[in-house]
Every structure is written in structure tokens, then in C-alpha cells.
Amino acid sequence: MTETLLITGAELVGTDRADIIVEDGSIVEIGTGLSRTGARVIDADGLVALPGLVDLHTHLREPGYEASETILTGTRAAAAGGFTAVFAMPNTSPVADSAGVVEQELALGEAAGYATVQPIGAVTVGQQGERLAELGAMANSRAKVRVFSDDGFCVFDPLIMRRALEYVKAFGGVIAQHAQDPRLTEGAQMNEGVVSAELGLAGWPAVAEESIIARDVLLAEHVGSRLHVCHLSTAGSVDIIRWAKKRGIQVTAEVTPHHLLLTDELVRGYDARYKVNPPLRREEDVLAVREGLADGTIDIVATDHAPHPSESKACEWQAAANGMVGLESALRVVHQSMVQTGLLEWRDVARVMSTAPARIGMLDGHGTPLEVGRPAQITLYDPSVNGTFTADDLRGRSENSPYLGRELPGRVEWTIHGGVVTLAAGTVAAELNGACGALSDRRVSK
């Protein structure tokens, strides 16, 4: 049973100030000077009210890699970052390539209660790239999977990619591609360029990403199906997506917060917190992906939250694992890289971090405007403060954040998931016992 909430003085996507009353998991009234006997009052003066954030690209690691993260700890991190829904990538053990595994993930998310967990199914069995996984069975399961990806591995065989696009077209699904030519990136340690040459590290060339995207948008056009490009990172990739959209191809793309802010110059210190796939790119690429996000070529921001235990990062660069945690810092990085630079307004942030991710992932009950009758998925953010990002800001199991010690603007103050407060004045709720999980039996559109 959810409590009645009275949110006072919130700035609705950076424009009008209003009070919001939440009852039974929904927004029931918006106006000024509102009151409600017995309601829990949330003072939102100076806070921006956004629809609850949705992350289309999260690694929760469970089942199989619980030393890095669990669905419970990962969704606590999500709540701390203002997220009310996350899409869980399939590179677990066992791989999420069957109805049984995705239903297990769904159930664990419901039990935790901090955020809606929508599983993403693998495209191929075991993410091996050899034969299609049980796409139909996962789509028809209780998890109602609509997004499929072998993320961490490229679906490199063009025939397998074509067949996957054809299969998901039948139920309106989408293939989310990790665009990386494995032959062009054998042994790669960082972005190929001036810095890699100076450091003597094997380079990850931009063309390894761009060539796969070019191939796949043409396959999507040929099949008439939907393609989503994961963690786009180069200026050339932006150009290809822009061309494909002008051509009318059904393609969407995401960029991570770290590719909006960080460059390959950080690798000079050999700090493995900056080792990620795709790698941090040049300043020119950072500026290009920012522009692509601003003009709508890139549809969304997705965290690619990738937790690892400390021993996987506290080692020499070549042996370190790829990946960064990003749920708790994502909104603050977007604030710095896109809002403070004048490239996005808060209404645009709502679009790229909530509305569009929910639409691409076909997730019901999320990404909707803050209006009467809508589910109460709400993030309250204070844009006026600045602070050093520290380990105390992390709520997951791993600490491999590239932002530790960095000054970032803003702070997520409150997260409300289906009418349930999961983050209160910056503090994650201690225990929810699945309070949010039962609010909606149906999570994905047909």
C-alpha cells in the first residue's frame, strides 16, 4: 500500500511551479496551494520535477556475477540516481537467452522494489553469435521481452543479424547492437589515435564501430525492422545515424554520460577506472556526440552501468576489465555536459533520459508526462548545488566510477517509483520488500 504524497513547489521540467498530490501510485492532482490531510509532505522548492528516469542499458550482473552487483544493489543505485526503471543486459551466468532466466530477473526486480527491472534478452545462444536464442519464448514470457542484445559482443555475422531483425519484426521488437568489429579491435586497449601512439597501447579505431553501424542500418532498411545502436561514441557514427534517419530507416541510438564528458587524454595516467568499451574518444568525438544528442540524431542517454569488483580494476591497464558504474552520476553528468553548456533544457533531459528510453524499450507506465492520471514515476533534482563526487555517493556493490574526486553539479533529492519513495532527501530507502513490484503486472507493450 502506497502512502499519499504532497509535493510542494516543484518546477515542472524547469518551467511552471506547482504542487503534486500522489495517491495509490498515481498523480491525482496538480495545482498551486494544494493540501491533503495526512499526506507526507515533500518540500520541492527549487527542485526540478522530471518523469522518473529510465536507463535502457544497465548491467545488474545477477545471476552469476553477484560479487560485482546484484539486482537489489543495482536498483538501489538506480534509485539514488533518480531512475525508476532499468533495462538489464543479458551478459549474466547463465546468459539471459531463455524465458526462465528473464523471468527470474523480473521476479528479483519485483522483490527488491527500488525500480522496475525489464530484462533484455540475448540475440544469440550464450551470446556466442552462432544461432538465434529463444527470442519468441522470451517475448511471450511473463517478462515480455522486446529488446534483444548481445551487448559486450557484436552480432558480427550479417546473416544472423538479418535473421534477428526479421524475427523481432513480427512482434515489434528491437535489436540493440554493440557495434564493434572484433577483427579490427583484436587486442585493443584504448581509442586509436595520438594518445595511443604515444603510450604504445593497441588502438580501438573509430571505423570498427562505424562500419558495423553502417552495415546494420542497411540491414534494418532491407528488412524493414527496428535497430538500436548501443553506446555510440564517434563523430563518424553520428554522421551515419543522421544519414540513416534522413533516409527513413528505423534506427535509434544512445550515448553514455562518460562519452559526453571524458576523453582519451585521461588514459595517460593508466588509471583503469577510465578503461571502457567502447573506449573514451577524442575531444572532437565528445563535441560531436553532444551535438548529435542536442539535435536529436542521438535519441537517448543510457548509462552502460558496468560494475566490477575492485581487483578487476586495481591492476595493470592491460589486465583490467572494461566498464564504469554510472547510475548514480548520470543525471549530474548530463547536467554538466549538456545543460550547463546550453545544449539541452530540462524538458530535453526529460525526453532523452525518460520519455524516449521508455518508448524505445516499449515500457508501459514509465516516461510519461507528469500529469493527472499518470503513474507517479517522479525524480526531484536540485540543480543549484555543486559537490565532489565520492564513494559515499555510490549505492551499488562496486566503486569503479570515473568521477570519484570530480566536481559535479546538482543532486538527486527524491525518487518516487509508482508512488513509493525510494530516495528521500538523498537517502535511499532502507527496505521496500517489493512495495513497487506489485504496482503493475504489465510492463511492456505488445
Side-chain angles (χ1 to χ4, degrees):
M1 186 69 177
T2 60
E3 59 187 331
T4 299
L5 305 175
L6 172 59
I7 303 168
T8 62
E11 297 180 18
L12 301 185
V13 292
T15 55
D16 300 328
R17 290 185 54 168
D19 303 335
I20 304 171
I21 295 179
V22 172
E23 285 183 342
D24 298 326
S26 297
I27 297 171
V28 297
E29 192 172 356
I30 297 177
T32 57
L34 300 182
S35 63
R36 186 61 57 97
T37 302
R40 178 180 181 180
V41 178
I42 297 174
D43 181 3
D45 182 39
L47 305 185
V48 175
L50 300 167
L53 306 185
V54 177
D55 187 18
L56 196 65
H57 192 146
T58 308
H59 297 272
L60 295 179
R61 304 303 192 200
E62 188 177 13
Y65 302 107
E66 290 83 359
S68 300
E69 194 77 284
T70 68
I71 288 175
L72 174 61
T73 62
T75 53
R76 284 174 59 87
F83 290 88
T84 58
V86 294
F87 284 72
M89 280 294 176
N91 54 341
T92 52
S93 182
V95 170
D97 59 4
S98 66
V101 178
V102 295
E103 288 182 345
Q104 177 190 7
E105 292 176 335
L106 181 71
L108 288 169
E110 291 171 339
Y114 288 93
T116 295
V117 174
Q118 177 55 50
I120 291 177
V123 177
T124 65
V125 174
Q127 296 178 290
Q128 296 298 304
E130 297 174 354
R131 57 192 176 93
L132 291 182
E134 300 174 6
L135 308 185
M138 289 186 280
N140 292 325
S141 72
R142 196 171 77 85
K144 296 182 173 66
V145 177
R146 292 295 182 273
V147 182
F148 299 87
S149 180
D150 274 358
D151 184 60
F153 301 95
C154 178
V155 181
F156 185 54
D157 186 322
L159 182 60
I160 292 289
M161 188 63 180
R162 174 183 175 173
R163 296 290 181 245
L165 288 165
E166 289 173 333
Y167 199 110
V168 301
K169 182 180 177 182
F171 50 81
V174 59
I175 301 298
Q177 175 69 294
H178 174 106
Q180 176 187 1
D181 187 313
R183 293 284 290 161
L184 291 174
T185 55
E186 288 184 4
Q189 293 292 320
M190 66 170 296
N191 178 60
E192 182 178 283
V194 172
V195 179
S196 67
E198 292 179 1
L199 297 180
L201 293 176
W204 202 119
V207 70
E209 174 176 300
E210 296 157 5
S211 59
I212 296 296
I213 295 174
R215 181 202 75 176
D216 286 351
V217 295
L218 292 173
L219 285 174
E221 180 182 43
H222 178 71
V223 172
S225 190
R226 296 176 59 213
L227 170 71
H228 179 73
V229 178
C230 296
H231 42 49
L232 178 153
S233 68
T234 77
S237 295
V238 177
D239 290 340
I240 295 167
I241 297 296
R242 187 176 287 120
W243 172 86
K245 287 190 170 185
K246 288 180 179 177
R247 195 175 170 94
I249 298 171
Q250 299 180 77
V251 60
T252 53
E254 70 189 35
V255 63
T256 69
H258 46 273
H259 286 116
L260 289 170
L261 185 64
L262 309 178
T263 75
D264 60 357
E265 289 289 337
L266 291 166
V267 179
R268 292 185 184 278
Y270 295 104
D271 185 337
R273 288 183 300 134
Y274 301 117
K275 188 176 182 182
V276 66
N277 184 354
L280 300 180
R281 302 289 189 180
R282 306 166 303 162
E283 179 70 19
E284 300 96 303
D285 295 304
V286 169
L287 296 176
V289 297
R290 286 184 184 180
E291 185 61 35
L293 183 63
D295 68 19
T297 301
I298 300 172
D299 300 84
I300 67 171
V301 174
T303 71
D304 194 10
H305 176 82
H308 291 290
S310 59
E311 59 268 22
S312 294
K313 287 290 190 177
C315 56
E316 63 273 18
W317 179 271
Q318 286 87 343
N322 286 304
M324 304 168 169
V325 294
L327 285 167
E328 301 96 331
S329 53
L331 184 53
R332 297 174 68 179
V333 173
V334 170
H335 181 186
Q336 183 175 77
S337 61
M338 299 301 296
V339 179
Q340 289 188 336
T341 56
L343 292 169
L344 292 183
E345 297 181 356
W346 288 111
R347 63 174 62 87
D348 303 310
V349 174
R351 170 175 53 83
V352 301
M353 296 192 74
S354 181
T355 305
R359 172 181 53 81
I360 293 168
M362 292 160 283
L363 188 64
D364 283 347
H366 290 271
T368 57
L370 300 182
E371 298 173 347
V372 173
R374 301 285 194 175
Q377 314 287 0
I378 304 170
T379 300
L380 298 175
Y381 181 75
D382 186 351
S384 68
V385 299
N386 287 276
T388 302
F389 193 83
T390 71
D392 291 338
D393 293 303
L394 300 173
R395 295 296 183 270
R397 182 159 284 186
S398 298
E399 297 185 357
N400 54 305
S401 168
Y403 307 110
L404 295 176
R406 179 182 286 261
E407 289 290 316
L408 292 176
R411 171 180 160 95
V412 180
E413 291 289 347
W414 296 80
T415 306
I416 299 166
H417 170 36
V420 175
V421 175
T422 57
L423 180 78
T427 300
V428 176
E431 188 174 0
L432 293 177
N433 294 320
C436 309
L439 294 176
S440 174
D441 293 327
R442 178 176 163 76
R443 284 168 166 72
V444 182
S445 303
K446 288 184 178 178

